[in-house]
Amino acid sequence: MKFFFEKNHYFHHKNTFDPKDLEAKSEENWSISAITFYLLIDFRLMHKKILMQFFNSLGKYPSGECIKCIPAINSARRILIVNIIIMTIIMWATNSIALSLLYLIAPFTGTLCNKILAKSQHHGLENKKR
């Protein structure tokens, strides 16, 4: 997973200070219902990450643009396969679909602190554009 992050982190920041930089001007939804989901289960983030992982393993970004880095595509495929294997083992060992789904949902629970840190990390970037 570290390799995939290192190879793709550049793309995450390639538009920093650019008019196309969605992250600098992104606005999280801070409504009461959104904060409640951030405290419990962030279904929007879960949907986005699962979709992104699926598309990356096919060699594409969710936008449809092709990923040119073959090792990154292979890494995305390995991550997807490993997660499927882990979920299958959990389901097989416990005979519980619920525990297998908990493995899938766990990274997306209690994301409020992450949202606050991400917002503070990019705070003011929109004012620093050249």
Coordinates of all heavy atoms in Angstrom, one line a residue, residues 40-85:
L40 N -20.0 8.7 13.0 CA -20.4 7.3 12.9 C -19.7 6.6 11.7 O -18.6 6.1 11.8 CB -21.9 7.2 12.8 CG -22.7 7.8 14.0 CD1 -24.2 7.9 13.7 CD2 -22.3 7.1 15.3
I41 N -20.4 6.6 10.5 CA -19.8 6.0 9.3 C -19.9 6.9 8.2 O -21.0 7.4 7.9 CB -20.6 4.7 9.0 CG1 -20.5 3.7 10.1 CG2 -20.0 4.0 7.7 CD1 -21.4 2.4 9.9
D42 N -18.8 7.3 7.6 CA -18.8 8.2 6.5 C -19.0 7.4 5.2 O -18.1 7.0 4.5 CB -17.4 8.9 6.4 CG -17.4 10.1 5.4 OD1 -18.4 10.2 4.6 OD2 -16.4 10.8 5.4
F43 N -20.3 7.2 4.8 CA -20.7 6.4 3.7 C -20.2 7.1 2.4 O -19.8 6.4 1.4 CB -22.2 6.2 3.6 CG -22.7 5.3 4.6 CD1 -23.4 5.8 5.7 CD2 -22.4 3.9 4.6 CE1 -23.9 4.9 6.7 CE2 -22.9 3.1 5.5 CZ -23.6 3.6 6.6
R44 N -20.2 8.4 2.3 CA -19.7 9.1 1.1 C -18.2 8.8 0.8 O -17.8 8.5 -0.3 CB -19.9 10.6 1.2 CG -20.7 11.2 0.2 CD -20.9 12.7 0.3 NE -19.6 13.4 0.4 CZ -19.4 14.5 1.0 NH1 -20.4 15.2 1.5 NH2 -18.2 15.1 1.0
L45 N -17.4 8.9 1.9 CA -16.0 8.5 1.7 C -15.8 7.1 1.4 O -15.0 6.7 0.5 CB -15.2 8.9 3.0 CG -13.7 8.6 3.0 CD1 -13.0 9.5 2.0 CD2 -13.2 8.8 4.4
M46 N -16.6 6.2 2.0 CA -16.5 4.8 1.8 C -16.8 4.5 0.3 O -16.0 3.8 -0.4 CB -17.4 4.0 2.7 CG -17.3 2.5 2.5 SD -18.2 1.6 3.8 CE -19.9 1.8 3.2
H47 N -17.8 5.0 -0.2 CA -18.2 4.9 -1.6 C -17.1 5.4 -2.5 O -16.7 4.7 -3.5 CB -19.5 5.6 -1.9 CG -19.9 5.5 -3.3 ND1 -19.7 6.6 -4.2 CD2 -20.5 4.5 -4.0 CE1 -20.1 6.2 -5.4 NE2 -20.6 5.0 -5.3
K48 N -16.5 6.5 -2.2 CA -15.5 7.1 -3.1 C -14.2 6.3 -3.1 O -13.7 6.0 -4.1 CB -15.2 8.5 -2.5 CG -14.0 9.2 -3.2 CD -13.8 10.6 -2.6 CE -12.5 11.2 -3.1 NZ -12.1 12.4 -2.3
K49 N -13.8 5.8 -1.9 CA -12.6 5.0 -1.8 C -12.7 3.7 -2.5 O -11.8 3.2 -3.1 CB -12.1 4.9 -0.3 CG -11.7 6.2 0.3 CD -10.5 6.7 -0.2 CE -10.0 7.9 0.6 NZ -8.8 8.5 0.1
I50 N -13.8 3.0 -2.3 CA -14.0 1.7 -2.9 C -14.1 1.8 -4.4 O -13.5 1.1 -5.1 CB -15.3 1.0 -2.3 CG1 -15.0 0.6 -0.8 CG2 -15.6 -0.2 -3.1 CD1 -16.3 0.1 -0.1
L51 N -14.8 2.8 -4.9 CA -14.9 3.1 -6.3 C -13.5 3.4 -6.9 O -13.1 2.9 -7.9 CB -15.9 4.2 -6.6 CG -16.4 4.4 -8.0 CD1 -17.3 3.2 -8.3 CD2 -17.3 5.6 -8.1
M52 N -12.7 4.3 -6.2 CA -11.4 4.6 -6.6 C -10.5 3.4 -6.7 O -9.8 3.2 -7.7 CB -10.8 5.7 -5.7 CG -9.5 6.3 -6.2 SD -8.8 7.6 -5.1 CE -10.2 8.7 -5.0
Q53 N -10.5 2.6 -5.7 CA -9.7 1.4 -5.7 C -10.1 0.4 -6.8 O -9.2 -0.1 -7.5 CB -9.9 0.6 -4.3 CG -9.0 -0.5 -4.2 CD -7.5 -0.1 -4.1 OE1 -7.2 0.8 -3.4 NE2 -6.6 -0.8 -4.7
F54 N -11.4 0.3 -7.1 CA -11.8 -0.5 -8.2 C -11.3 0.0 -9.5 O -10.7 -0.7 -10.3 CB -13.4 -0.6 -8.2 CG -13.9 -1.4 -9.3 CD1 -13.8 -2.8 -9.4 CD2 -14.5 -0.8 -10.4 CE1 -14.3 -3.5 -10.5 CE2 -15.1 -1.5 -11.4 CZ -14.9 -2.8 -11.5
F55 N -11.5 1.3 -9.8 CA -11.1 1.9 -11.0 C -9.6 1.9 -11.2 O -9.0 1.6 -12.2 CB -11.5 3.4 -11.1 CG -12.9 3.5 -11.7 CD1 -14.0 3.9 -10.9 CD2 -13.2 3.3 -13.0 CE1 -15.3 4.0 -11.4 CE2 -14.5 3.4 -13.5 CZ -15.5 3.8 -12.7
N56 N -8.8 2.1 -10.1 CA -7.4 2.1 -10.1 C -6.9 0.7 -10.5 O -5.9 0.5 -11.2 CB -6.8 2.5 -8.8 CG -6.9 4.0 -8.5 OD1 -6.7 4.4 -7.4 ND2 -7.3 4.8 -9.5
S57 N -7.5 -0.3 -10.0 CA -7.1 -1.7 -10.3 C -7.4 -2.0 -11.7 O -6.8 -3.0 -12.3 CB -7.8 -2.7 -9.4 OG -9.2 -2.8 -9.6
L58 N -8.3 -1.3 -12.4 CA -8.5 -1.4 -13.8 C -7.6 -0.6 -14.7 O -7.7 -0.5 -15.9 CB -10.0 -1.1 -14.2 CG -11.1 -2.0 -13.6 CD1 -12.4 -1.5 -13.9 CD2 -10.9 -3.4 -14.1
G59 N -6.8 0.2 -14.0 CA -5.8 1.1 -14.7 C -6.4 2.4 -15.0 O -5.9 3.1 -15.9
K60 N -7.4 2.9 -14.3 CA -8.0 4.1 -14.6 C -8.3 4.9 -13.3 O -8.3 4.4 -12.2 CB -9.4 3.9 -15.3 CG -9.3 3.3 -16.7 CD -10.6 3.4 -17.4 CE -10.4 2.8 -18.8 NZ -9.6 3.5 -19.7
Y61 N -8.4 6.2 -13.5 CA -8.9 7.1 -12.4 C -10.4 7.1 -12.5 O -10.9 6.8 -13.6 CB -8.3 8.5 -12.5 CG -6.8 8.6 -12.3 CD1 -6.0 8.8 -13.4 CD2 -6.3 8.4 -11.1 CE1 -4.6 8.8 -13.2 CE2 -4.9 8.5 -10.9 CZ -4.1 8.7 -12.0 OH -2.7 8.8 -11.8
P62 N -11.1 7.4 -11.5 CA -12.6 7.5 -11.6 C -13.1 8.4 -12.7 O -14.2 8.2 -13.2 CB -13.0 8.0 -10.2 CG -12.0 7.5 -9.3 CD -10.7 7.6 -10.1
S63 N -12.2 9.4 -13.0 CA -12.6 10.3 -14.1 C -12.6 9.6 -15.5 O -13.1 10.2 -16.5 CB -11.7 11.5 -14.1 OG -10.4 11.1 -14.5
G64 N -12.0 8.5 -15.6 CA -11.8 7.7 -16.8 C -10.4 7.9 -17.4 O -10.1 7.1 -18.3
E65 N -9.6 8.8 -16.9 CA -8.3 9.0 -17.4 C -7.4 7.8 -17.0 O -7.6 7.2 -16.0 CB -7.7 10.3 -16.7 CG -6.3 10.6 -17.2 CD -5.8 11.8 -16.4 OE1 -6.6 12.5 -15.7 OE2 -4.6 12.1 -16.5
C66 N -6.6 7.4 -18.0 CA -5.7 6.2 -17.8 C -4.6 6.5 -16.8 O -3.9 7.5 -16.9 CB -5.2 5.7 -19.1 SG -6.5 4.9 -20.1
I67 N -4.2 5.5 -16.0 CA -3.1 5.6 -15.1 C -1.9 5.1 -16.0 O -2.0 4.0 -16.6 CB -3.2 4.7 -13.9 CG1 -4.4 5.2 -13.0 CG2 -1.9 4.7 -13.1 CD1 -4.7 4.4 -11.8
K68 N -0.8 5.8 -16.0 CA 0.3 5.5 -16.9 C 1.4 4.7 -16.2 O 2.3 4.1 -16.8 CB 0.9 6.7 -17.5 CG 0.0 7.4 -18.5 CD 0.5 8.7 -19.0 CE -0.3 9.4 -20.0 NZ -1.7 9.6 -19.8
C69 N 1.3 4.6 -14.9 CA 2.3 3.9 -14.0 C 1.8 2.5 -13.8 O 1.0 2.2 -12.9 CB 2.5 4.7 -12.7 SG 3.7 3.9 -11.7
I70 N 2.4 1.5 -14.5 CA 2.0 0.1 -14.4 C 2.3 -0.4 -13.0 O 1.4 -1.1 -12.5 CB 2.8 -0.7 -15.5 CG1 2.4 -0.3 -16.9 CG2 2.5 -2.2 -15.3 CD1 1.0 -0.4 -17.3
P71 N 3.4 -0.1 -12.3 CA 3.6 -0.6 -11.0 C 2.4 -0.1 -10.0 O 2.0 -0.8 -9.1 CB 4.9 -0.1 -10.5 CG 5.7 0.1 -11.8 CD 4.6 0.5 -12.8
A72 N 2.0 1.1 -10.3 CA 0.9 1.6 -9.4 C -0.4 0.8 -9.7 O -1.2 0.5 -8.7 CB 0.6 3.1 -9.7
I73 N -0.7 0.5 -10.9 CA -1.9 -0.3 -11.3 C -1.7 -1.7 -10.6 O -2.7 -2.2 -10.0 CB -2.0 -0.5 -12.8 CG1 -2.3 0.9 -13.4 CG2 -3.2 -1.4 -13.1 CD1 -2.1 0.9 -14.9
N74 N -0.6 -2.3 -10.7 CA -0.4 -3.6 -10.1 C -0.5 -3.5 -8.6 O -1.1 -4.5 -8.0 CB 1.0 -4.2 -10.5 CG 1.1 -4.5 -11.9 OD1 0.1 -4.8 -12.6 ND2 2.3 -4.5 -12.5
S75 N 0.0 -2.5 -8.0 CA -0.2 -2.3 -6.5 C -1.7 -2.2 -6.2 O -2.1 -2.8 -5.2 CB 0.6 -1.0 -6.1 OG 0.4 -0.8 -4.7
A76 N -2.4 -1.4 -7.0 CA -3.9 -1.3 -6.7 C -4.6 -2.6 -6.8 O -5.4 -3.0 -6.0 CB -4.5 -0.3 -7.7
R77 N -4.1 -3.4 -7.8 CA -4.7 -4.8 -7.9 C -4.4 -5.7 -6.7 O -5.2 -6.4 -6.2 CB -4.2 -5.4 -9.2 CG -4.8 -4.8 -10.4 CD -4.3 -5.4 -11.7 NE -4.9 -4.7 -12.8 CZ -4.4 -4.6 -14.0 NH1 -3.3 -5.2 -14.3 NH2 -5.0 -4.0 -15.0
R78 N -3.1 -5.6 -6.2 CA -2.7 -6.4 -5.1 C -3.5 -6.0 -3.8 O -4.0 -6.8 -3.1 CB -1.2 -6.2 -4.8 CG -0.4 -7.1 -5.7 CD 1.1 -7.1 -5.2 NE 1.7 -5.8 -5.2 CZ 2.3 -5.2 -6.2 NH1 2.4 -5.9 -7.4 NH2 2.9 -4.1 -6.1
I79 N -3.7 -4.7 -3.7 CA -4.5 -4.2 -2.5 C -5.9 -4.7 -2.6 O -6.4 -5.2 -1.6 CB -4.5 -2.6 -2.5 CG1 -3.1 -2.1 -2.1 CG2 -5.5 -2.1 -1.4 CD1 -2.9 -0.6 -2.4
L80 N -6.5 -4.6 -3.7 CA -7.9 -5.1 -3.9 C -8.0 -6.6 -3.6 O -8.8 -7.1 -2.9 CB -8.4 -4.8 -5.3 CG -9.8 -5.1 -5.6 CD1 -10.7 -4.2 -4.7 CD2 -10.1 -4.8 -7.1
I81 N -7.0 -7.4 -4.2 CA -7.0 -8.8 -4.0 C -6.8 -9.2 -2.5 O -7.5 -10.1 -2.0 CB -6.0 -9.5 -4.9 CG1 -6.4 -9.4 -6.3 CG2 -5.7 -11.0 -4.5 CD1 -5.4 -9.8 -7.4
V82 N -5.9 -8.5 -1.9 CA -5.6 -8.8 -0.5 C -6.8 -8.5 0.4 O -7.2 -9.3 1.3 CB -4.3 -8.0 0.0 CG1 -4.2 -8.0 1.6 CG2 -3.1 -8.6 -0.6
N83 N -7.5 -7.4 0.1 CA -8.7 -7.1 0.9 C -9.8 -8.1 0.7 O -10.5 -8.5 1.6 CB -9.2 -5.7 0.6 CG -8.4 -4.6 1.4 OD1 -8.2 -4.7 2.6 ND2 -7.9 -3.6 0.7
I84 N -10.0 -8.5 -0.5 CA -11.0 -9.6 -0.8 C -10.6 -10.9 -0.1 O -11.5 -11.5 0.5 CB -11.1 -9.8 -2.3 CG1 -11.8 -8.5 -3.0 CG2 -11.9 -11.0 -2.6 CD1 -11.8 -8.5 -4.5
I85 N -9.3 -11.2 -0.1 CA -8.9 -12.5 0.6 C -9.1 -12.3 2.1 O -9.7 -13.3 2.7 CB -7.4 -12.8 0.3 CG1 -7.3 -13.2 -1.2 CG2 -6.9 -13.8 1.2 CD1 -5.8 -13.3 -1.7

